[in-house]
């Protein structure tokens, strides 16, 4: 702590602060904020003059309530150097007490006389001023005081509130030498403040008892037992107590409270349960002590009418439903009736013969506080339903603002760090605030616009609430120098729009700072109070949890989407069989396991693949990646579509068994399968072989514009195990478009699947469009506005290899024919203009044909395909495949395939229903 002499603790930091150095993080946040405000106010640490008021109301309710408590505190601290002060809500000292009487002779007048004002704007950092600024118990030690005169002392101060309204009426402050600081002082000060607040409440109860007595005297109803229950000023006639249900009694009291808060004569018809109704009437009443209040009575119809509904209008037919609660203002009473202290005036709306019963009596302000409290509860209940309806950070912030306007605030701004908007926790939230929400009763208020970066100075209420973790209330923005210093010109514009009061609340959840919400008031001339601050804090707390949930979801969604996109093809491979375009659209509610792939195969063929893993989130994306990798590996084995799906099905069964497990620690992920569609297109024959596993059938757009869904056997979804798949072979005319998609494109809870398929057919009925344009047209016409599932779309326009770019020879298993094939091959390459490739191709083809003749089975067919590369294929009827091995120096054979591997860009074997094909591709560029 320290004082001026020891040069440690706050003294050193205070000197550094006064020299303009940064001491943030070294001094308590409320103290540093107060120092900064004091500097902005132009205060000097060595100034000794304070405003002094000579007119002190010694008969005021605060002083009357506090005097016995002050005397008790003086007795407790007798003989000590304790200075006990009572100040009003503006910081003016009303009374002082001293533990040691000799202090009166030693202290300066500013420390002993009532009337000096210790508000922060005059005295700088001190107990009374800081308690009013922070609106809570505060302690100031030694050099934490801004003024030099207070450096050797410490103080503990606490606000005194009206328990009904929550308004701060004054401050109780204990001052003492800094060496006498003791944590035990805090409970003493709290108990003393509670005692003063209870005595203030007792004064209010005495006033209400006086009003009740005035009513009873005027109405000649002073009978025993009608002064209310347990001393409360509420009395209800026997009918209201015995015959009405609890809900009806609560309704009457609620409506009576609204009438009482109106502070004038009025009447209202209140419908009750079972067709009954009661008329409430409010009238002014004045107690013998001169306290003015309002009494609310219930006027009951006669027994024969109690169950008959009152007509809504004098001309309404009998038996029409009872009107909803609506007060009818009656003429103001004349002075004579007021002087009669509650006597019924001549124009009493109660007709003769109707029963009259007291419902409520009290001061109008009490009714206003009760109505405000009920409305706050209603707003909190509404907030539970309105805030957090989505898992979107920005939308959740908007819902907080929409809930608060106009019932709590006229304008709301919300600033969030950029990291929070992206789903991360921001390491420096105050350095990267972005205006996320501006919402209010009008759109002409010149707040910083949405999207603007907001740089906050330490003196602003926004930074103060973030630093302390507590809401900050600025009742008068014209005197909020820290707020004005942020941007004086901007503050002047806001004040010109009659914005006069502010509450800033930090958005905190699970220890992380998510942003700050600011509530501004302009239309209501009354400034914000502590009840408003508590309400704003409660709203912000609920919104903070929802924002944090949305942030965490956004983070997981972003991670899953990043993983999903990293596992999808980053680019399409080079191939000439089809012209391909694709789209991937993630779901709004979570990333799923949809994927697609384009895989070049031997013989100029291409494989098209679309799949959908059950579920959403990181695990679905990871499972998708495993399936896609497995599918590519199986495709490299040149498996037929039905065989490939069988292998994927077995893989899914193993994955489900491994991840589901049977042990006690196993936890099912919920992913039990996937759907898939696999197609292989051969441009040399224009045949497409397809099989599907529970996947939607593909659409085919023929060159003439005819659109159809291909009738493929559905097959079971992957993961069921043991069920067969079936392939179908279809001839596709050149320039046909094959459209593969996942079910997210056509399935939507707001639309029938048949409607979606009709829209898909219409969108595809344009064969002249490029695949890219087709993709966009399909998404625009068919995709749901808010996709609940991922959408993967693959559009492939088929091409064909012309007959003049294919050469085929058939031969018997005769070694003598190899030379003829070599010669025919060289001649064909010359016709294609590939003379430079002739030598390498001749050697390669010689080895392949010799192997087929020597080890294969007739018939043998040789095929050359002039595509992007030169493809050599040798087909025979044998199912045994050659393998490359390391040959010893003494071996006479075994070097043929090694030579093929050196000459070819790639080579391999694929099996057919009639045998096998050994193929090799030679790069034309390399040639």
């Amino acid at each position: 702590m320290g004082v001026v002499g020891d040069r440690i603790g706050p003294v050193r930091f205070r000197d550094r602060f006064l020299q303009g150095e940064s001491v943030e993080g070294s001094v308590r946040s409320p103290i540093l904020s107060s120092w900064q405000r004091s500097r902005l106010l132009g205060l000097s640490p060595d100034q000794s003059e304070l405003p002094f008021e000579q007119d002190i109301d010694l008969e005021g309710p605060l002083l009357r309530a506090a005097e016995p408590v002050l005397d008790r505190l003086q007795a407790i601290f007798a003989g000590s150097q304790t200075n006990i002060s009572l100040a009003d809500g503006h910081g003016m000292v009303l009374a002082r007490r001293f533990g040691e009487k000799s202090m009166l002779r030693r202290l300066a007048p500013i420390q002993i006389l009532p009337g000096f004002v210790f508000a922060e704007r005059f005295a700088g950092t001190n107990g009374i001023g800081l308690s009013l600024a922070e609106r809570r118990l505060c302690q100031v030690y030694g050099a934490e005081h801004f003024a030099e005169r207070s450096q050797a002392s410490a103080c503990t101060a606490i606000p005194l509130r009206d328990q009904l309204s929550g308004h701060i009426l004054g401050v109780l402050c204990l001052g003492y030498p800094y060496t006498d600081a003791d944590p035990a002082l805090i409970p003493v000060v709290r108990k003393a403040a509670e005692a003063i607040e209870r005595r203030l409440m007792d004064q209010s109860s005495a006033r209400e008892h006086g009003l009740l007595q005035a009513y009873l005297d005027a109405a000649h109803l002073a009978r025993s037992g009608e002064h209310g229950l347990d001393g409360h000023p509420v009395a209800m006639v026997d009918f209201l107590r015995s015959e009405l249900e609890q809900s009806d009694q609560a309704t009457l009291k609620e409506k009576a409270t609204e009438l009482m808060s109106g502070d004038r004569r009025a009447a209202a018809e209140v419908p009750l349960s079972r067709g009954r109704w009661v008329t409430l009437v409010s009238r002014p009443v004045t107690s013998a002590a001169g306290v003015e209040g309002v009494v609310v009575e219930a006027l009951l119809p006669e027994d024969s009418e109690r169950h008959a509904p009152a007509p809504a209008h004098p001309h309404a037919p009998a038996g029409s439903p009872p009107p909803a609660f609506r007060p009818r203002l009656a003429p103001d009473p004349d002075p004579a009736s007021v002087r009669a202290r509650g006597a019924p005036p001549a124009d009493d709306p109660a007709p003769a013969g109707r029963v009259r019963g007291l419902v409520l009596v009290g001061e109008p302000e009490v009714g206003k506080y009760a109505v405000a409290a009920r409305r706050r509860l209603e707003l909190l209940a509404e907030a539970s339903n309105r805030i957090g309806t989505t898992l979107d950070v920005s939308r959740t912030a908007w819902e907080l603002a929409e809930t608060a306007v106009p019932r709590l605030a006229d304008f709301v701004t919300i600033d969030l760090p950029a990291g929070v908007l992206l789903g991360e926790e921001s390491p420096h939230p105050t350095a990267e605030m972005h205006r996320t929400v501006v919402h209010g009763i009008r759109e002409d208020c010149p707040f910083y616009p949405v999207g603007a970066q907001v740089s906050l100075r330490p003196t602003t209420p926004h930074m103060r609430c973030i630093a302390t973790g507590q809401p900050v209330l600025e009742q008068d923005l014209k005197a909020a120098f820290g707020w004005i210093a942020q941007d004086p010109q901007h503050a002047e514009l806001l004040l010109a729009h009659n914005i006069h009061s502010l509450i800033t609340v930090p958005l905190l959840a699970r220890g992380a700072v998510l942003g700050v919400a600011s509530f501004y008031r302009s239309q209501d001339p009354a400034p914000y109070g502590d009840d408003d601050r508590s309400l704003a804090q409660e709203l912000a707390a609920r919104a903070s949890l929802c924002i944090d949930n949305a942030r965490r979801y956004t983070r997981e969604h972003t991670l899953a989407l990043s993983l999903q996109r990293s596992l999808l093809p980053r680019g399409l491979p080079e191939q000439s069989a089809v012209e391909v375009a694709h789209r991937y659209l993630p779901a709004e509610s979570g990333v799923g396991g949809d994927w697609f792939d384009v895989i070049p195969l031997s013989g100029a063929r291409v494989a098209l693949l679309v799949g959908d893993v059950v579920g959403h989130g990181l695990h679905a994306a990871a499972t998708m990646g495993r399936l896609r990798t497995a599918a590519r590996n199986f495709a490299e084995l040149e498996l037929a579509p039905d065989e490939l799906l069988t292998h994927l099905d077995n893989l899914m069964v193993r994955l489900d068994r491994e991840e589901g497990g049977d042990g006690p620690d196993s936890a099912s992920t919920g992913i039990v399968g996937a759907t898939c569609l696999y197609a292989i297109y051969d441009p040399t024959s224009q045949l497409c072989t397809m099989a599907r596993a529970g996947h939607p059938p593909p659409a085919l757009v023929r060159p003439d514009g005819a659109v159809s869904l291909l009738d493929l056997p559905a097959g079971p979804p992957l993961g069921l195990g043991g069920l067969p798949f079936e392939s179908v072979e279809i001839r596709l005319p050149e320039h046909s478009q094959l459209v593969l998609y996942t079910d997210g494109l056509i399935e939507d809870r707001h639309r029938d699947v048949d409607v979606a398929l009709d829209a898909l057919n219409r969108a595809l009925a344009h064969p002249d469009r490029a695949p890219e344009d087709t993709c966009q047209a399909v998404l625009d016409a068919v995709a749901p506005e808010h996709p609940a599932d991922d959408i993967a779309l693959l559009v492939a326009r088929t091409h064909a290899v012309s007959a003049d770019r294919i050469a085929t020879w058939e031969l018997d298993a005769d070694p003598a024919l190899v030379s003829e094939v070599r010669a025919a091959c060289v001649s064909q390459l010359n016709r294609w203009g590939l003379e430079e490739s002739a030598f390498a191709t001749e050697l390669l083809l010689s080895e392949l044909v010799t192997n087929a003749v020597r080890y294969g089975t007739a018939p043998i067919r040789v095929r050359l395909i002039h595509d992007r590369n030169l493809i050599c294929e040798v087909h025979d009827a044998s199912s045994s495949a050659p393998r490359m091995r390391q040959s010893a120096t003494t071996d006479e054979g075994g070097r043929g395939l090694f030579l093929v591997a050196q000459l070819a860009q790639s080579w391999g074997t694929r099996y057919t229903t009639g045998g096998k094909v050994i193929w090799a591709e030679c790069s034309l560029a390399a040639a």
Side-chain angles (χ1 to χ4, degrees):
M1 290 176 278
V3 292
V4 174
D6 61 16
R7 313 309 303 165
I8 62 173
V11 175
R12 180 188 306 166
F13 298 125
R14 177 176 176 275
D15 290 346
R16 288 174 52 189
F17 171 79
L18 294 176
Q19 293 170 9
E21 299 181 25
S22 174
V23 295
E24 191 169 354
S26 304
V27 181
R28 290 189 296 144
S29 177
I31 299 298
L32 180 58
S33 297
S34 181
W35 285 357
Q36 292 166 337
R37 293 194 298 271
S38 300
R39 174 61 65 83
L40 288 172
L41 290 165
L43 300 179
S44 173
D46 57 0
Q47 73 179 51
S48 57
E49 295 184 0
L50 292 178
F52 180 75
E53 300 288 343
Q54 293 183 340
D55 298 331
I56 300 176
D57 184 8
L58 300 179
E59 298 298 327
L62 177 60
L63 198 53
R64 291 202 311 271
E67 279 184 340
V69 181
L70 297 178
D71 293 340
R72 176 61 177 161
L73 288 174
Q74 185 177 22
I76 293 175
F77 293 102
S80 69
Q81 299 296 306
T82 303
N83 183 344
I84 307 162
S85 304
L86 176 72
D88 65 10
H90 302 288
M92 183 181 71
V93 176
L94 301 177
R96 289 188 182 273
R97 300 285 192 277
F98 301 93
E100 176 59 53
K101 293 184 179 180
S102 62
M103 296 175 65
L104 290 168
R105 296 189 300 270
R106 292 187 291 103
L107 297 177
I110 198 174
Q111 294 175 294
I112 60 176
L113 295 179
F116 285 97
V117 180
F118 283 82
E120 189 182 67
R121 66 179 182 273
F122 302 120
T125 308
N126 70 94
I128 294 175
L130 188 61
S131 180
L132 289 174
E134 295 290 329
R135 307 181 72 81
R136 58 189 174 91
L137 185 145
C138 293
Q139 293 181 293
V140 183
Y141 301 99
E144 289 183 335
H145 288 87
F146 189 77
E148 297 283 357
R149 64 174 177 273
S150 303
Q151 298 291 291
S153 64
C155 57
T156 301
I158 187 171
L160 302 173
R161 288 183 166 85
D162 183 336
Q163 292 185 349
L164 287 175
S165 65
H167 295 164
I168 293 179
L169 303 178
V171 177
L172 176 65
C173 181
L174 297 185
Y176 40 87
Y178 81 97
T179 54
D180 293 345
D182 189 341
L185 288 174
I186 293 179
V188 173
V189 173
R190 289 192 186 277
K191 290 181 180 179
E194 292 171 359
I196 296 174
E197 290 174 352
R198 281 197 304 271
R199 289 180 58 81
L200 285 169
M201 190 65 183
D202 291 341
Q203 292 180 18
S204 176
S205 298
R207 292 195 302 269
E208 291 190 354
H209 280 290
L211 292 173
L212 176 61
Q213 189 61 49
Y215 167 77
L216 296 175
D217 291 344
H220 306 289
L221 297 175
R223 299 190 302 271
S224 62
E226 295 211 11
H227 294 301
L229 300 174
D230 301 326
H232 294 288
V234 176
M236 302 186 72
V237 295
D238 291 340
F239 170 77
L240 299 178
R241 278 200 301 256
S242 60
E243 296 191 24
L244 289 186
E245 300 173 359
Q246 290 291 334
S247 60
D248 288 341
Q249 294 186 30
T251 299
L252 281 181
K253 291 181 181 179
E254 178 181 323
K255 304 309 179 184
T257 302
E258 293 185 17
L259 285 177
M260 188 175 74
S261 66
D263 193 19
R264 61 181 301 177
R265 287 177 51 82
E269 295 170 342
V270 183
L272 304 177
S273 61
R274 292 183 289 174
R276 296 176 295 182
W277 59 276
V278 169
T279 301
L280 294 181
V281 177
S282 65
R283 67 180 79 253
V285 62
T286 306
S287 70
V291 178
E292 297 183 354
V294 174
V295 61
V296 181
E297 298 173 307
L299 305 180
L300 305 177
E302 297 179 357
D303 291 343
S304 61
E305 302 175 357
R306 285 180 185 173
H307 296 273
H313 187 273
H315 302 289
S320 58
F325 171 79
R326 59 178 187 276
R328 299 197 305 270
L329 297 180
D332 291 331
D334 56 60
S337 65
V338 174
R339 286 193 299 272
R341 304 197 338 265
D347 59 345
D348 192 334
R354 297 183 71 174
V355 180
R356 181 195 306 271
L358 177 63
V359 178
L360 202 60
V361 64
E363 297 178 78
E365 287 300 314
V366 176
K368 292 178 182 178
Y369 300 147
V371 171
R374 188 180 75 248
R375 290 175 179 170
R376 285 193 292 270
L377 291 175
E378 292 173 350
L379 182 58
L380 289 176
E382 181 180 334
S384 300
N385 296 324
R386 293 188 61 179
I387 300 176
T389 60
T390 67
L391 286 172
D392 180 83
V393 173
S394 297
R395 180 58 204 161
T396 303
W398 270 101
E399 289 170 347
L400 169 60
E402 291 169 345
T403 301
V405 175
R407 296 165 66 177
L408 173 62
D410 296 314
F411 298 94
V412 174
T413 65
I414 299 178
D415 304 321
L416 302 179
V420 171
L421 294 171
L422 297 176
E424 303 292 338
E425 286 188 13
S426 177
H428 306 289
T430 58
E432 53 175 13
M433 285 288 184
H434 284 75
R435 180 58 48 87
T436 305
V437 174
V438 176
H439 181 58
I441 57 176
R442 304 189 310 273
E443 296 183 358
D444 61 343
C445 233
F447 290 101
Y448 296 139
V450 172
Q453 184 169 358
V454 181
S455 299
L456 299 172
R457 297 183 58 175
T459 56
T460 60
H462 309 73
M463 286 292 288
R464 288 162 54 199
C465 77
I466 291 176
T468 62
Q470 297 294 324
V472 172
L473 168 60
E474 293 285 2
Q475 289 189 309
D476 184 6
L477 287 179
K478 292 181 180 179
F481 300 100
W483 176 77
I484 294 174
Q486 166 72 21
D487 188 342
Q489 293 182 345
H490 182 66
E492 185 177 350
L493 289 175
L494 293 178
L495 292 173
H497 281 73
N498 201 35
I499 293 178
H500 60 81
S501 193
L502 165 67
I503 300 173
T504 58
V505 188
L507 300 175
L508 305 172
R510 303 177 178 96
V513 177
L514 304 178
V516 59
S518 304
F519 302 86
Y520 295 87
R521 178 171 284 180
S522 65
Q523 284 194 325
D524 190 342
Y528 280 125
D530 287 311
D531 287 340
D532 299 310
R533 181 176 64 171
S534 298
L535 176 59
Q537 184 178 19
E538 181 66 24
L539 287 176
R542 299 187 182 196
S544 296
L545 287 176
C546 296
I547 290 175
D548 191 50
N549 290 337
R551 179 193 65 81
R552 289 167 177 260
Y553 169 79
T554 300
R555 179 175 180 272
E556 181 179 340
H557 181 79
T558 302
L559 288 175
L561 184 59
S562 299
L563 176 61
Q564 171 85 330
R565 292 194 183 280
S566 69
L567 296 174
L568 290 173
R570 298 194 177 187
L572 297 178
E574 293 185 358
Q575 47 81 36
S576 56
V578 291
E579 179 187 353
V580 180
H582 60 86
R583 292 290 189 276
Y584 171 73
L585 186 64
E588 287 190 352
S589 59
V591 177
D594 291 20
W595 89 96
F596 62 90
D597 212 342
V598 178
I599 307 171
L601 300 177
S602 63
R605 299 172 305 140
V606 66
L608 305 175
L609 180 66
V610 171
D612 182 4
V613 174
V614 175
H616 291 82
L618 286 171
H619 190 81
T623 303
M624 176 274 292
R626 299 169 78 173
L627 272 181
R628 177 174 176 255
T629 301
R632 292 188 69 89
N633 291 334
F634 294 145
E636 291 291 335
L637 297 177
E638 303 280 2
L639 298 179
D642 55 338
E643 296 177 7
L644 182 138
L645 293 182
T646 299
H647 284 283
L648 289 181
D649 183 49
N650 294 334
L651 173 64
M652 284 298 297
V653 171
R654 289 195 300 272
L655 289 178
D656 188 50
R657 185 183 304 119
E658 292 171 2
E659 297 179 5
D662 299 324
D665 297 330
S666 65
S668 176
T669 62
I671 294 182
V672 296
T675 65
C676 184
L677 172 63
Y678 186 68
I680 297 177
Y681 174 68
D682 186 347
T684 63
S685 62
Q686 300 180 28
L687 294 177
C688 184
T689 307
M690 292 175 279
R692 61 183 178 126
H695 203 82
L700 176 62
V701 184
R702 298 183 181 275
D704 60 0
V707 180
S708 61
L709 294 179
L710 298 181
D711 186 16
L712 306 181
L718 301 178
L720 297 183
L723 298 176
F725 300 94
E726 183 178 351
S727 294
V728 172
E729 191 173 75
I730 300 175
R731 181 178 178 81
L732 302 182
E734 187 175 8
H735 304 312
S736 299
Q737 289 194 26
L738 190 62
V739 181
L740 286 67
Y741 53 89
T742 55
D743 57 5
L745 177 69
I746 58 174
E747 291 185 359
D748 183 22
R749 60 183 178 181
H750 304 295
R751 177 184 61 185
D752 189 76
V753 173
D754 291 337
V755 175
L757 291 175
D758 290 341
L760 177 62
N761 289 338
R762 290 193 298 271
L764 293 176
H766 299 275
D768 54 337
R769 276 196 302 227
E772 280 289 341
D773 297 333
T774 301
C775 277
Q776 193 58 49
V778 168
L779 289 184
D780 293 342
V782 187
E785 184 176 357
H786 301 285
D789 194 7
D790 291 17
I791 297 174
L793 176 64
L794 190 65
V795 177
R797 171 180 284 173
T798 63
H799 297 299
V801 178
S802 61
D804 60 356
R805 297 175 73 89
I806 303 174
T808 305
W809 300 275
E810 293 190 5
L811 64 154
D812 296 329
D814 184 356
L817 299 178
V818 174
S819 60
E820 297 180 7
V821 172
R822 290 170 55 184
C825 168
V826 172
S827 177
Q828 183 64 52
L829 292 178
N830 291 334
R831 285 195 294 272
W832 286 342
L834 303 177
E835 294 85 354
E836 294 181 0
S837 302
F839 178 73
T841 306
E842 183 180 4
L843 288 178
L844 185 149
L845 194 60
S846 176
E847 291 295 333
L848 294 181
V849 174
T850 300
N851 278 340
V853 170
R854 182 175 297 179
Y855 304 109
T857 305
I860 299 174
R861 185 172 66 250
V862 178
R863 186 168 70 161
L864 290 181
I865 303 174
H866 183 192
D867 194 42
R868 301 176 66 89
N869 295 321
L870 181 62
I871 304 171
C872 304
E873 295 181 344
V874 177
H875 174 273
D876 70 88
S878 172
S879 60
S880 61
R883 62 184 181 89
M884 190 168 58
R885 59 185 177 86
Q886 188 70 37
S887 299
T889 56
T890 58
D891 291 343
E892 296 183 359
R895 297 177 179 84
L897 288 182
F898 181 78
L899 181 61
V900 170
Q902 296 300 310
L903 294 174
Q905 178 176 286
S906 59
W907 73 280
T909 303
R910 72 171 181 269
Y911 293 93
T912 67
T913 56
K916 67 176 182 295
V917 175
I918 302 176
W919 58 270
E921 285 192 18
C922 297
S923 173
L924 298 179

